[in-house]
Amino acid sequence: MNASVAIQSLPKAADDEELIRIVDEVIDYIKSTGLNYYVGPFETTIEGDYDELMDIVKECQHIAVRAGAPSVSAYIKVSYRPEGDVLSIEKKVAKHHAG
């Protein structure tokens, strides 16, 4: 795993319910990729190969538009280490979610 991406999808929507429905479709797509991911209240983080993640980021925009958004904005954060592994979601947050 040489990269991780955090994406916040911001589709234009008529109301909060429509916004949540469209974002949920984007998250369902991310889940369908089979990659490790973490859904937070503002963004979703995905781990994997850099090129595959860039394709996923691109497709997330298309998913939002196909779900009914007339436009979509997104904030993207990328951690990329071509010659090694990036820190995993587990290493970054597990200690904060222990019961």
Side-chain angles (χ1 to χ4, degrees), residues 33-92:
T33 67
L35 297 177
N36 190 38
Y37 67 92
Y38 178 85
V39 177
F42 292 102
E43 64 189 15
T44 299
T45 304
I46 318 160
E47 300 173 328
D49 172 72
Y50 177 80
D51 290 328
E52 183 178 12
L53 292 175
M54 293 301 102
D55 289 341
I56 290 168
V57 166
K58 180 179 170 182
E59 184 61 17
C60 286
Q61 311 322 299
H62 296 300
I63 296 286
V65 170
R66 285 196 299 268
S71 65
V72 61
S73 298
Y75 290 103
I76 311 295
K77 299 176 195 171
V78 178
S79 177
Y80 175 48
R81 187 176 287 177
E83 301 303 323
D85 289 339
V86 296
L87 285 173
S88 69
I89 294 169
E90 179 73 19
K91 285 183 182 176
K92 291 178 184 177

Side-chain angles (χ1 to χ4, degrees), residues 7-55:
I7 181 169
Q8 180 183 25
S9 185
L10 302 165
K12 187 171 184 180
D15 54 39
D16 287 347
E17 290 77 24
E18 181 72 357
L19 176 75
I20 291 168
R21 183 190 65 75
I22 294 169
V23 170
D24 283 348
E25 289 198 34
V26 172
I27 293 169
D28 286 344
Y29 164 68
I30 291 169
K31 289 178 181 179
S32 78
T33 67
L35 297 177
N36 190 38
Y37 67 92
Y38 178 85
V39 177
F42 292 102
E43 64 189 15
T44 299
T45 304
I46 318 160
E47 300 173 328
D49 172 72
Y50 177 80
D51 290 328
E52 183 178 12
L53 292 175
M54 293 301 102
D55 289 341

